[in-house]
Amino acid sequence: MLIACNGMFRAGSTLQYNLVCSLVEKMGLGERKGYLSYEQLSERQEEIVQWSESPSLIVFKSHAILANAAELVEANSMRIFYIYRDIRDVAVSMKRTFKIEGEKLWKLLDK
């Protein structure tokens, strides 16, 4: 089964991913696959579908949603752990951490 840890940038998805991976690995239920960008989700679609068919838990993190996520969830092959943070907090965090402002910040928040 596939476990996707999702959330917008600066929302806490890395902490969430590390917690989920720690539980899965310490209990011997599966493994982590790391961060996958939007492009990697498309490029590795076949591999990701194979992960969803695994009897063990396969955990990955992304800020994007798989194109076929609804189908995999409906087929009971995937669970999504989504973390939410108020967009105003995300904006402040992005400004402080990455020094992003103005139009560039608006475009990132719009994603």
Side-chain angles (χ1 to χ4, degrees):
M1 176 181 290
L2 192 59
I3 298 178
C5 294
N6 289 110
M8 55 184 315
F9 297 102
R10 309 303 303 159
S13 56
T14 300
L15 173 62
Q16 172 204 56
Y17 171 73
N18 287 328
L19 289 170
V20 171
C21 288
S22 179
L23 289 169
V24 167
E25 291 169 346
K26 286 183 190 278
M27 295 179 73
L29 299 174
E31 63 180 305
R32 69 179 74 202
K33 293 295 184 178
Y35 174 79
L36 299 176
S37 67
Y38 179 78
E39 293 79 18
Q40 289 171 313
L41 290 178
S42 297
E43 294 166 0
R44 298 174 70 180
Q45 185 68 31
E46 288 182 35
E47 181 181 13
I48 293 168
V49 169
Q50 288 176 351
W51 294 347
S52 73
E53 296 166 353
S54 171
S56 62
L57 300 177
I58 307 295
V59 186
F60 76 95
K61 176 191 168 192
S62 185
H63 294 295
I65 297 287
L66 283 168
N68 61 339
E71 295 168 24
L72 293 173
V73 169
E74 193 171 308
N76 214 19
S77 299
M78 179 178 174
R79 295 288 181 265
I80 300 172
F81 286 67
Y82 185 83
I83 190 161
Y84 171 80
R85 185 176 181 188
D86 188 289
I87 196 157
R88 294 168 291 192
D89 292 332
V90 171
V92 169
S93 180
M94 291 177 89
K95 284 178 78 169
R96 287 183 180 164
T97 305
F98 302 117
K99 310 294 185 233
I100 300 171
E101 295 186 357
E103 190 67 27
K104 187 174 180 181
L105 178 60
W106 285 112
K107 285 182 181 180
L108 285 171
L109 291 173
D110 194 41
K111 280 181 138 180

